[in-house]
Amino acid sequence: MKNDFLTIADKIYSSRLLVGTGKYQDFIQTRAAVDACGAEIVTVAIRRTNLGQNPDEPNLLDVLPPTRFTILPNTAGCFTADEAVRTLMLARELLDGAALVKLEVLGDAQSLYPNMPETLKAAEILVKEGFQVMVYCADDPIQAKMLEELGCVAIMPLASLIGSGMGILNPWNLALIIERISVPVIVDAGVGTASDATIAMELGCDGVLMNTAIAHAKDPLLMAEAMKKAVESGREAWLAGRMPKKSYLADPSSPLTGLIGS
């Protein structure tokens, strides 16, 4: 929609869909998917993607230049606060001092569920170091508020486990977070198809981040287009304001008075 923008850390974006850059066939397909979905923020796993660390290997920044996209380094694969902080210190060097980062500290390698005590610890350190922290977290409204109070610029609760494609399993907790948080709330992890993204936006989320749902679709580019439309339609529905739900009370679309022949 015109004049409806996402603002993160004082920067304005026209797209509310954020995407990851892993799991594609190659960097060419990655760029094609990003273009198809219209994303302006792309997140990159610093420990798994070459951004110049290895000069003899393809560099993602040649395909997704920082002059065109906001490159959002993330700490995928980190299991402690110390690991996450070190990783983002490296990212700041590789990206010429860029401050916007995505923090995720995982609890175990099987579920990839966030380790919240370590996440809170890392967030506090990174904010003090001048980073603008977008943070992956549990769908816990209390801890989400704590992260906001530490100075995080976006709260990113999971819909369900990373890569599961299970969609939004707890809309009630997500709604509580949206109600209590003043910085952007962006669903991160678990989206499997377009309807999941639409539901997130209809609940009032400010955006959706996904990777596997697009990269592992049978047709990634077509799914990227579908996700773009899903986020946009969900946002428009939320802005429009849905009709109230009514239990056991019919409300006919056409008036019952003045019927022909009555």
Side-chain angles (χ1 to χ4, degrees), residues 5-62:
F5 301 106
L6 171 64
T7 302
I8 299 176
D10 297 324
K11 187 170 180 179
I12 296 173
Y13 302 92
S14 58
S15 174
R16 293 177 179 271
L17 176 57
L18 295 71
V19 293
T21 53
K23 304 183 180 182
Y24 291 96
Q25 292 179 357
D26 50 36
F27 286 168
I28 301 301
Q29 188 184 54
T30 302
R31 175 58 190 264
V34 172
D35 286 342
C37 72
E40 296 166 284
I41 301 176
V42 292
T43 184
V44 179
I46 293 299
R47 304 184 75 181
R48 298 171 182 162
T49 307
N50 183 34
L51 300 180
Q53 309 97 305
N54 303 314
D56 298 328
E57 298 179 7
N59 186 335
L60 182 65
L61 299 184
D62 292 335

Side-chain angles (χ1 to χ4, degrees), residues 54-250:
N54 303 314
D56 298 328
E57 298 179 7
N59 186 335
L60 182 65
L61 299 184
D62 292 335
V63 178
L64 296 171
T67 54
R68 167 68 178 79
F69 301 96
T70 293
I71 306 298
L72 182 67
N74 70 58
T75 58
C78 292
F79 293 88
T80 68
D82 289 343
E83 278 186 307
V85 171
R86 285 198 304 270
T87 299
L88 292 177
M89 291 291 188
L90 171 62
R92 186 154 63 179
E93 293 182 15
L94 292 170
L95 295 170
D96 298 323
L100 188 67
V101 297
K102 182 194 169 195
L103 170 65
E104 55 183 86
V105 185
L106 306 176
D108 64 69
Q110 183 177 10
S111 71
L112 305 181
Y113 199 83
N115 180 325
M116 290 309 300
E118 290 293 294
T119 297
L120 287 158
K121 178 181 175 182
E124 184 174 12
I125 295 170
L126 290 166
V127 170
K128 288 180 179 177
E129 289 290 334
F131 287 93
Q132 298 167 330
V133 181
M134 302 174 65
V135 56
Y136 166 67
C137 61
D139 57 348
D140 180 332
I142 304 302
Q143 294 185 102
K145 189 65 178 177
M146 293 169 67
L147 288 165
E148 181 187 25
E149 290 172 348
L150 285 173
C152 293
V153 299
I155 306 300
M156 308 178 75
L158 78 172
S160 50
L161 296 182
I162 292 174
S164 69
M166 292 295 291
I168 298 173
L169 298 184
N170 197 336
W172 311 111
N173 276 22
L174 188 56
L176 284 172
I177 292 172
I178 294 167
E179 179 183 305
R180 299 181 183 186
I181 298 297
S182 58
V183 297
V185 175
I186 298 171
V187 158
D188 180 13
V191 169
T193 191
S195 58
D196 299 330
T198 300
I199 290 169
M201 298 306 295
E202 287 178 347
L203 285 169
C205 287
D206 296 283
V208 180
L209 187 150
M210 65 184 72
N211 185 185
T212 311
I214 296 176
H216 281 187
K218 291 181 180 179
D219 186 334
L221 302 188
L222 185 58
M223 183 61 80
E225 293 178 5
M227 290 300 188
K228 176 182 180 180
K229 296 170 185 174
V231 169
E232 291 174 350
S233 64
R235 176 67 177 179
E236 289 178 359
W238 182 79
L239 290 172
R242 63 157 292 147
M243 62 166 284
K245 295 181 180 180
K246 301 178 182 179
S247 298
Y248 307 108
L249 179 61

